[in-house]
Amino acid sequence: MSTAAPTRATPSAPTPTTVPRRPALDWRIRFAALSLIWGFSFLLIKVGTDGYAPFQVTFGRLLFGTLVLAVAMAVKRERLPRGRRTWLHLTVAALLLNAAPFSLFAYSELTIPSTLAGICNATSPLWGMALSMVALSEDRPTRRRVAGLGLGFLGVLTVLGAWQGFHGLDVTGTAMALLASLCYPVGWIYVRRTLAGSGHSNLSLIGSQLGVATLQLALVTPLFAGFPSAFPLVPLLAVAALGALGTGLAVLVQYGLVNEVGPTTAQMVTYFIPVIATAAGVAVLGESLSWNTPVGAAVVLAGAALTQSRARAKPKAQ
């Protein structure tokens, strides 16, 4: 449930008098924590919508997430980006990567279980690979990638129970969750084309992006959802955790992983999210689970992994 595509900045080389600071926690522990945080995010959305309107949940999520990143920027003395063009690009990125998908997932979970929403989120790599083949010249279609796309979308049809005519499935809610997962790769491609190499740090860009998304929801929420008439505690705590942990802290952990182990390893967290989301929905919320849901999810993840894999280069002859 990523909020932005990591545009990995090249760190400056340490001087002879400086020693690179080693993270306090091993990257595997942080990887597992990030998987749990994002996996439980769909459960938190479900709990939040029990007491608040979807737009209110999204606004609270963005607000708490922005506060966490604002503190991180203040501690590291990061400056806000400059330039009108940069802020225009950040406005579009905030809509595609935060405001729109967060709101769509919140609305979708009014009618579909959190387990299904988490599995729909796992289709993002599939959408991303399909779009990158068209939008990015360096991503050439290969047999391996095409096979992964076909396998992944076959898994989606399995999850949805296509052979049953999608019986018992809320089409609108499922479509919203799939559209939310599509927003992420569209936003990533946009950021890659417009903000990569801008000279600003990742923390400065994502912090500003979340701040803009919060302003967007601050304008939309009163128009379509109004103000809460009451503040039930459990849904409020869920929204606070969703924002502070699932958005703010998760982004900091994600970028730390990207800088330490690289984007390829860091993005593997995507494959653990639906597993944790399904387990949390069934164990905590008591959501029902038919056989085609986990089977289809496994096929989706296999297809997504295949699209991200690379064929081994053949050894050159001496």
Side-chain angles (χ1 to χ4, degrees):
M1 203 170 174
S2 156
T3 57
T7 53
R8 187 180 182 186
T10 303
S12 57
T15 62
T17 58
T18 61
V19 179
R21 189 174 181 180
R22 190 173 183 178
L25 291 177
D26 183 78
W27 74 267
R28 298 171 186 83
I29 299 177
R30 286 176 283 133
F31 183 95
L34 184 60
S35 301
L36 287 171
I37 290 172
W38 273 341
F40 271 88
S41 292
F42 297 94
L43 180 149
L44 294 175
I45 293 173
K46 193 74 170 180
V47 176
T49 54
D50 286 341
Y52 301 97
F55 274 136
Q56 294 170 351
V57 171
T58 304
F59 173 70
R61 173 182 186 175
L62 289 169
L63 178 61
F64 284 108
T66 300
L67 291 176
V68 171
L69 290 183
V71 171
M73 290 177 63
V75 170
K76 295 188 176 183
R77 298 182 179 179
E78 292 279 354
R79 294 183 178 181
L80 294 175
R82 296 181 179 180
R84 186 175 68 174
R85 182 179 295 272
T86 299
W87 281 99
L88 288 175
H89 291 319
L90 284 172
T91 300
V92 177
L95 176 64
L96 293 174
L97 290 170
N98 304 117
F102 290 0
S103 299
L104 285 169
F105 272 125
Y107 268 103
S108 72
E109 292 199 36
L110 291 176
T111 56
I112 67 173
S114 64
T115 54
L116 180 56
I119 293 172
C120 288
N121 181 74
T123 63
S124 283
L126 301 177
W127 298 118
M129 183 56 63
L131 291 172
S132 65
M133 288 180 179
V134 177
L136 301 176
S137 58
E138 62 268 28
D139 285 329
R140 302 294 183 182
T142 64
R143 292 181 179 179
R144 183 186 295 263
R145 292 179 175 181
V146 172
L149 286 174
L151 183 63
F153 286 113
L154 178 62
V156 173
L157 294 177
T158 303
V159 170
L160 302 181
W163 67 93
Q164 300 174 346
F166 307 107
H167 178 70
L169 182 72
D170 184 83
V171 177
T172 302
T174 305
M176 284 184 176
L178 290 173
L179 182 59
S181 69
L182 175 61
C183 286
Y184 291 128
V186 173
W188 294 334
I189 292 174
Y190 180 84
V191 168
R192 185 170 171 179
R193 283 176 171 268
T194 60
L195 291 172
S198 64
H200 303 289
S201 70
N202 285 327
L203 178 57
S204 175
L205 289 175
I206 188 59
S208 302
Q209 178 185 306
L210 279 181
V212 172
T214 304
L215 292 177
Q216 291 172 345
L217 263 295
L219 296 175
V220 171
T221 302
L223 295 176
F224 295 93
F227 296 95
S229 58
F231 293 90
L233 180 59
V234 174
L236 180 60
L237 292 176
V239 172
L242 181 64
L245 300 178
T247 304
L249 179 62
V251 167
L252 297 176
V253 175
Q254 180 194 29
Y255 281 115
L257 289 173
V258 169
N259 288 328
E260 184 173 350
V261 299
T264 302
T265 301
Q267 74 178 0
M268 292 296 290
V269 70
T270 305
Y271 307 129
F272 292 88
I273 293 174
V275 178
I276 296 172
T278 300
V282 173
V284 180
L285 299 179
E287 296 176 345
S288 60
L289 192 67
S290 57
W291 68 268
N292 60 299
T293 301
V295 171
V299 177
V300 168
L301 295 178
L306 192 59
T307 62
Q308 302 299 314
S309 64
R310 296 289 187 272
R312 293 183 179 179
K314 295 181 180 180
K316 295 181 180 180
Q318 294 294 332

